[in-house]
Amino acid sequence: MSQLIQLGGINERPKAPKGDTLKLHFSDEAIHELNALMTHYPDKKSCILPGLWIAQREYGGFLSGEAIAEVAHRLERSYAEVEGVATFYSMYNTAHAVGKHMIEVCTCLSCHMCGAYRIADHLKEKLGIGFGETTPDGLFTLHEVECLNACDRAPLLQIGSDYHGPVDAAYVDRLIDELRTKETSSVTQLADDIVKVHLRDVEKIR
């Protein structure tokens, strides 16, 4: 029972901002990108997924209630409709704010057989956090994920758009040290990379 209560807390849905308190946060670049992307689809509803990626980048890697409300506002959809899409897909971060770097550990069959949980335990001990948690300095969030579709590289980690595998404890130690010195957030970089994939070359500002 206690586990169920705990899961409920972790998976708490984003809360919509009250009434007319919405403060728009998108940069000029983000507005340009969203307007360009809306021309790719027959209606604004079809632009919810790329719109959420823009929001995930603009809001620092996390889709808060305000971020979801801004996408709904700009696409003229209801908050409930956009929130339903955002919370359906696990690649959108809606349950809680995430660290600068999200380390995703694949524990599906091939990775499991090749020691994924030993790697996970090493990461938990090194970072002092469990799955679904963020280090106190805000640098790392650790997640367990289903198949990353690269069984030939098991055991496998995903950080941003990069796959790392096969990994062992020594590799993980070096990787953590490198990430500590990296200026760019791999979480927001992943969102930016995905937004850019959706844009035509002439629509990109940078």
Side-chain angles (χ1 to χ4, degrees), residues 61-203:
F62 170 56
L63 291 176
S64 62
E66 288 75 14
I68 291 171
E70 178 158 2
V71 174
H73 169 78
R74 294 192 181 279
L75 296 180
E76 300 177 336
R77 313 305 304 178
S78 72
Y79 177 88
E81 183 178 18
V82 177
E83 189 223 29
V85 174
T87 54
F88 180 81
Y89 294 100
S90 62
M91 290 180 73
Y92 295 118
N93 304 317
T94 58
H96 53 79
V98 298
K100 187 176 180 179
H101 306 290
M102 185 186 298
I103 301 173
E104 298 181 282
V105 184
C106 177
T107 56
C108 216
L109 183 59
S110 297
C111 286
H112 185 180
M113 298 291 288
C114 291
Y117 282 106
R118 286 197 299 275
I119 295 299
D121 288 343
H122 182 72
L123 278 163
K124 289 176 181 177
E125 183 176 352
K126 187 173 183 65
L127 299 175
I129 57 175
F131 284 138
E133 296 179 345
T134 299
T135 54
D137 59 7
L139 276 181
F140 300 102
T141 296
L142 189 62
H143 269 299
E144 180 180 18
V145 294
E146 287 298 321
C147 186
L148 291 173
N149 197 31
C151 300
D152 59 316
R153 300 174 65 179
L156 183 72
L157 306 178
Q158 181 176 2
I159 301 170
S161 56
D162 296 327
Y163 276 10
H164 299 269
V167 299
D168 56 20
Y171 186 100
V172 167
D173 290 346
R174 291 193 300 273
L175 186 59
I176 295 297
D177 289 342
E178 289 174 14
L179 289 171
R180 287 188 192 282
T181 63
K182 191 174 180 181
E183 292 187 8
T184 307
S185 162
S186 58
V187 174
T188 55
Q189 184 62 55
L190 172 63
D192 188 57
D193 290 345
I194 293 173
V195 171
K196 295 293 188 291
V197 166
H198 285 81
L199 291 167
R200 302 183 182 101
D201 287 342
V202 295
E203 296 168 339

